Amino acid sequence: MRMIFVGPPGAGKGTQAARLVEHFAIPHISSGDMLRAAVKEGTALGVEADGYMKRGDLVPDAVVIGMIVERIGKADAATGFMLDGFPRTRPQAEALDVALTAAGVKLDAVVLLEVPDSLIVERIVWRRTDPDTGTIYHLKFSPPESDEIAARLQQRKDDTEEACINRLSKYHGETAPIVPFYEAQGILRRVDGVGAPDEITARLLTSLQH
Ligand code: AP5
Ligand code: MG
């Protein structure tokens, strides 16, 4: 299974990806997670990406395309992968097509996880992540199971209301145009991302069955 997860910030891509990659036994390739790791390690790529990410702007295409094309060329992605957060612009989608065609493979599905803007800010500002396990929590909707976990949770630097609003506007302006690109290829599946996480996982699995 070679698939892409598209959706606005806070749609639940990371939450659902963690479940689906287990089901399909494929690597979860999150451009956002890779960039945050680079920022943390202080690599040249991380230093370049940091300012864009904090503001909620997109990191330049050339930086992200190189990073992802290299990652999907690794052995563990040879038979499948889930891309989360990439592609995010039309040039990224086109570059991915070129790389996959060169490798002689095709995408099986592009899933668009749909959540209205009115729900996004609340999902984002209460999000916390466990640095030890990578588990994504929400202080209201899916709180940590123990005080020990609660004490170590971290908040992303771009999870302020201001950056979130900018991320949403970038999503509508730059990322939404990739939807018709994949619709024209006949591989787009729209899935409602509103509801309990278990319900959404079930919808995703159903949509990926055919
Ligand atoms: P990235 O890390 O990809 O962020 P994003 O797309 O904005 O998406 P999020 O990770 O914020 O949301 P999500 O959909 O994963 O939701 P989650 O499951 O966590 O990118 C960050 C930045 O990196 C970008 O702004 C850009 O600067 C840069 N970047 C990354 N890729 C790039 C690219 N390709 N090109 C250029 N720049 C790039 O859920 C959110 C919250 O909601 C959590 O608290 C969760 O617990 C809760 N939640 C989940 N499901 C539900 C539910 N069903 N009901 C209620 N709450 C829920
Ligand atoms: Mg995410």
Side-chain angles (χ1 to χ4, degrees):
M1 166 71 73
R2 293 183 183 86
M3 64 168 289
I4 296 177
F5 233 141
V6 185
K13 302 181 296 294
T15 302
Q16 296 296 333
R19 298 161 175 227
L20 294 184
V21 295
E22 213 165 287
H23 181 89
F24 292 110
I26 49 178
H28 176 198
I29 303 179
S30 158
S31 49
D33 287 350
M34 290 174 75
L35 290 167
R36 279 184 289 279
V39 170
K40 202 167 163 192
E41 285 162 25
T43 64
L45 190 150
V47 171
E48 183 175 359
D50 193 29
Y52 295 101
M53 295 177 77
K54 264 194 250 172
R55 290 190 299 273
D57 287 336
L58 293 182
V59 175
D61 283 339
V63 175
V64 186
I65 290 169
M67 178 183 86
I68 294 293
V69 168
E70 188 192 335
R71 178 64 187 86
I72 60 177
K74 296 217 162 134
D76 66 334
T79 56
F81 52 75
M82 172 180 295
L83 284 174
D84 161 4
F86 181 95
R88 238 181 171 91
T89 62
R90 186 70 191 240
Q92 290 182 17
E94 285 163 3
L96 178 64
D97 259 16
V98 169
L100 294 177
T101 304
V105 298
K106 280 195 159 100
L107 288 170
D108 297 298
V110 176
V111 177
L112 173 61
L113 196 55
E114 297 182 300
V115 174
D117 286 6
S118 57
L119 299 182
I120 296 298
V121 172
E122 190 180 31
R123 284 200 186 185
I124 292 279
V125 297
W126 297 101
R127 170 174 44 198
R128 300 291 184 274
T129 310
D130 183 341
D132 291 0
T133 63
T135 306
I136 300 165
Y137 292 96
H138 189 282
L139 295 183
K140 292 186 183 175
F141 305 141
S142 47
E145 300 85 357
S146 69
D147 290 346
E148 192 190 338
I149 297 172
R152 63 174 187 247
L153 294 185
Q154 292 180 349
Q155 184 172 24
R156 274 169 47 177
K157 283 188 267 182
D158 59 347
D159 277 353
T160 61
E161 188 168 343
E162 195 190 0
C164 173
I165 289 167
N166 188 29
R167 283 157 61 197
L168 253 183
S169 116
K170 292 285 180 296
Y171 174 75
H172 290 296
E174 306 208 30
T175 305
I178 70 173
V179 170
F181 177 79
Y182 288 120
E183 210 153 31
Q185 295 183 15
I187 52 172
L188 186 81
R189 289 135 204 240
R190 294 173 188 271
V191 174
D192 180 6
V194 181
D198 286 350
E199 261 174 72
I200 296 163
T201 308
R203 281 178 211 152
L204 286 164
L205 289 173
T206 305
S207 92
L208 288 167
Q209 266 163 16
H210 40 77

